[in-house]
Amino acid sequence: MIFFITFAPDMNYPLNNIPERPVKPRQSGITMVMDKGLSLRQTEDFIDVAGIHSDIVKLGWATSFVTPKLKEKLDIYRSAGIPTYFGGTLFEAFIIRNQFEDYIRVLEQYGMEYAEVSDGSIEIEHDLKCEYISKLSKYVTVISEVGSKDATKIFAPYKWIKLMNAEIEAGAWKVIAEAREGGNVGIYRGSGEVREGLVDEILTQIPQETIIWEAPQKEQQVWFIKLIGSNVNLGNIAPAEVIPLETIRLGLRGDTFDYFLNSGK
Amino acid sequence: MIFFITFAPDMNYPLNNIPERPVKPRQSGITMVMDKGLSLRQTEDFIDVAGIHSDIVKLGWATSFVTPKLKEKLDIYRSAGIPTYFGGTLFEAFIIRNQFEDYIRVLEQYGMEYAEVSDGSIEIEHDLKCEYISKLSKYVTVISEVGSKDATKIFAPYKWIKLMNAEIEAGAWKVIAEAREGGNVGIYRGSGEVREGLVDEILTQIPQETIIWEAPQKEQQVWFIKLIGSNVNLGNIAPAEVIPLETIRLGLRGDTFDYFLNSGK
Amino acid sequence: MIFFITFAPDMNYPLNNIPERPVKPRQSGITMVMDKGLSLRQTEDFIDVAGIHSDIVKLGWATSFVTPKLKEKLDIYRSAGIPTYFGGTLFEAFIIRNQFEDYIRVLEQYGMEYAEVSDGSIEIEHDLKCEYISKLSKYVTVISEVGSKDATKIFAPYKWIKLMNAEIEAGAWKVIAEAREGGNVGIYRGSGEVREGLVDEILTQIPQETIIWEAPQKEQQVWFIKLIGSNVNLGNIAPAEVIPLETIRLGLRGDTFDYFLNSGK
């Protein structure tokens, strides 16, 4: 599953046998970053150092509602060629208020090209959720999210698979496996430990490149990279953790140092 | 206790039934931020994105002693209309050295309009503490703090109430309930869990708008917002957590999403 | 062990009995900072507020490989008079690939004046490690690191002492006691707790000013400052924690407030 090149031309020195990373825009190896309230200049700083390693940025949950200069911020990302989307909780906040039409106007008003459809905080018939995915797909690229933010709501693996398949069929570009900013619900236990059996079973039925695994904690990132490889799609990465994650993907941090050298032999 | 408006004019889109937030300067709903060493530009960045949601900034403990360009930094906050004060540990550092008069000169020299009086690290007769509150009230608005930084010093609820009342009477504008940057002493257990009985009892005797609850951890913020409402006074908020906190206050993050919708009905 | 001055001229106000800190460049009291991916402007911001308290900056593990504008970044540190070095994992990445000569060329190309020699992720004969220290000492000032990043590899105290002594003899300027960014291996237990007996024993044989203790967690910093004094060498300090650490060194944060006042008497 891992291919090696002898020199990564955009990197700083000639180090042999570094795992290959596809160039952006890419379908796998995606790093989805969570911006939970960067200022305009902090956004520029993030892009300056980590933009080349970042595929898409989520403005976490409904932070966009209370963020000043939102349009300018979105423009900064746009100029850097990094797509953005509003977190699923914002979609849910409009749905629970019967304001779906308003949500579409908000997406238009801000020129959004992506949107998330989720049901992490609301209860909604799955058919209806898929209908929203389908409707929004006419306007934007839809990312859908499976899994509750409520730690007491645990789905069996077959249900994760069923939900994911239906959402992809309804038009979702990728499905996200829920973890929150903390990395302690959905595909993780309260301790942050991966529900390994769940992930294994999902991967028997859903192509890995269709899934973005939320993995805010380093141990979670390492676990998925060891399971699936450098080019697994990972999400909810904090802006300051994009550079560290990139080194983990390349086997250049202690956690995966051995792994890639051995598997490359 | 919760009032709803149908449109928050300074926010980015028309979302119905959002809890109302009073405009600054306000007596309740205060977000007190802890700056533990921002550079000048980082201070500007913080204000740029979170200034409208921040009521007052504490330069944590005695960080102001080792922060270069302190005057310029205070001027940046002042220009943005955000009052600042030095953490109580600085007051205590002057007191323990018998330098109270020097402390007053420092407040004058830096044009401070607020000061904290605390006894988190020193032992001091409570009458004497109240005397300092009273004396400083002639120069500045005093915020006093109750609770030790020492996790082994636990007060009974009646004592918290007695101390708080005496300090308000001595001239304190607000009393702070101690938690430290970590959120693991005072009103919290070592695990960060709230001493619920203590808080309940305090609230039977002290008006909630007179208290600023230090609540650096998200779970602590959520707990107080669910108990008291959107407009509880919260403190020791990290600069990068002000935007997230604002969404929690408004029911726009998973943690309080349900709570406000239900209580609003 | 602690000397007091009555006024620290570069500080903001006249506070008596503050522990003395030697001026830079210094052999003890060093704060070694870990930069794990700051942008150019973030680097400037860090220097602006914490540069005067920072002795040397490590570009963590192999983050320098994936950091854009690396030369510009190194120049910013250079202009501020703060030496930098690449984390030991980068050295190891070159060694494991049989590219030691390339590594020397990289050090030359970027004008590095310091380098780290470590074996945290690779297994290497100690004689060979010392040979690398000795060879690199001809080009740069060498910092060597003892301790594995693998939590299951635990050395007895006599072995730490033997390794450290051999590395100093081979030409290392300082030896670093391993802890990682997390502070949970090497001289610490998985919980972050210090292996106290180990540290005590090391200090009977190795002069404290020759060692830099990695201490990313506040409790670890406090522990070492209480054991050795204000001017212990501490490493892997996050940029935003340099100001807080400086206050702990000076007895101006709750954690060491009492300690210095009592020991000063």
Side-chain angles (χ1 to χ4, degrees), chain A residues 1 157 160-161 164 194-213 223-224 226-229 232-233:
Chain A
M1 194 184 303
W160 280 83
I161 293 165
M164 284 177 155
V194 185
R195 295 184 197 277
E196 305 197 5
L198 170 63
V199 171
D200 285 343
E201 210 157 324
I202 290 173
L203 284 169
T204 64
Q205 302 291 328
I206 314 274
Q208 68 85 10
E209 65 270 19
T210 311
I211 307 172
I212 299 175
W213 308 95
W223 190 88
F224 276 107
K226 283 186 177 172
L227 182 74
I228 296 175
V232 62
N233 297 325

Side-chain angles (χ1 to χ4, degrees), chain C residues 4-240:
Chain C
F4 288 88
I5 50 172
T6 52
F7 182 53
D10 55 340
M11 294 307 151
N12 292 319
Y13 23 80
L15 208 47
N16 297 330
N17 295 320
I18 297 294
E20 193 175 16
R21 299 272 288 132
V23 292
K24 297 198 297 176
R26 51 195 163 195
Q27 289 300 315
S28 71
I30 288 175
T31 294
M32 176 266 273
V33 180
M34 182 196 273
D35 169 346
K36 62 178 193 173
L38 297 179
S39 73
L40 299 187
R41 204 154 54 189
Q42 288 165 342
T43 305
E44 291 171 354
D45 288 347
F46 155 62
I47 292 169
D48 186 43
V49 71
I52 55 165
H53 304 300
S54 302
D55 297 80
I56 187 163
V57 170
K58 168 168 70 179
L59 303 194
W61 63 100
T63 51
S64 58
F65 185 66
V66 297
T67 299
K69 305 180 189 170
L70 179 58
K71 246 190 158 97
E72 290 92 322
K73 181 167 175 164
L74 294 170
D75 282 344
I76 292 171
Y77 282 118
R78 201 169 284 125
S79 303
I82 301 175
T84 56
Y85 67 99
F86 299 140
T89 302
L90 184 67
F91 163 81
E92 297 179 43
F94 276 94
I95 293 303
I96 200 82
R97 287 166 175 81
N98 268 315
Q99 290 186 263
F100 180 61
E101 295 304 319
D102 287 337
Y103 187 57
I104 291 176
R105 277 194 294 277
V106 166
L107 295 179
E108 284 172 346
Q109 181 191 344
Y110 287 97
M112 306 308 290
E113 296 173 9
Y114 288 76
E116 181 179 332
V117 171
S118 61
D119 55 350
S121 299
I122 60 175
E123 305 250 355
I124 180 175
E125 288 295 316
H126 198 245
D127 285 355
L128 183 56
K129 185 181 177 191
C130 288
E131 219 171 276
Y132 284 123
I133 292 170
S134 171
K135 275 186 192 167
L136 278 169
S137 296
K138 286 165 203 148
Y139 301 88
V140 292
T141 301
V142 174
I143 299 170
S144 77
E145 188 180 59
V146 172
S148 175
K149 291 189 195 300
D150 183 339
T152 66
K153 287 184 191 155
I154 295 170
F155 304 157
Y158 83 92
K159 191 157 180 208
W160 280 84
I161 292 164
K162 200 180 138 196
L163 298 173
M164 284 178 156
N165 270 326
E167 298 183 14
I168 293 161
E169 216 162 287
W173 168 60
K174 305 272 185 203
V175 288
I176 295 176
E178 170 74 87
R180 302 203 65 184
E181 188 203 355
N184 53 5
V185 298
I187 50 172
Y188 303 102
R189 301 203 170 79
S191 62
E193 203 193 338
V194 185
R195 293 183 199 277
E196 305 197 4
L198 170 62
V199 172
D200 284 343
E201 211 157 325
I202 290 174
L203 285 170
T204 64
Q205 301 293 327
I206 314 275
Q208 67 86 8
E209 66 271 17
T210 312
I211 307 173
I212 299 175
W213 308 94
E214 293 190 347
Q217 301 179 15
K218 188 187 76 166
E219 286 67 26
Q220 298 169 345
Q221 298 158 16
V222 169
W223 190 88
F224 276 106
I225 289 167
K226 284 186 177 172
L227 183 73
I228 297 176
S230 293
N231 292 309
V232 61
N233 296 325
L234 296 173
N236 282 17
I237 308 302

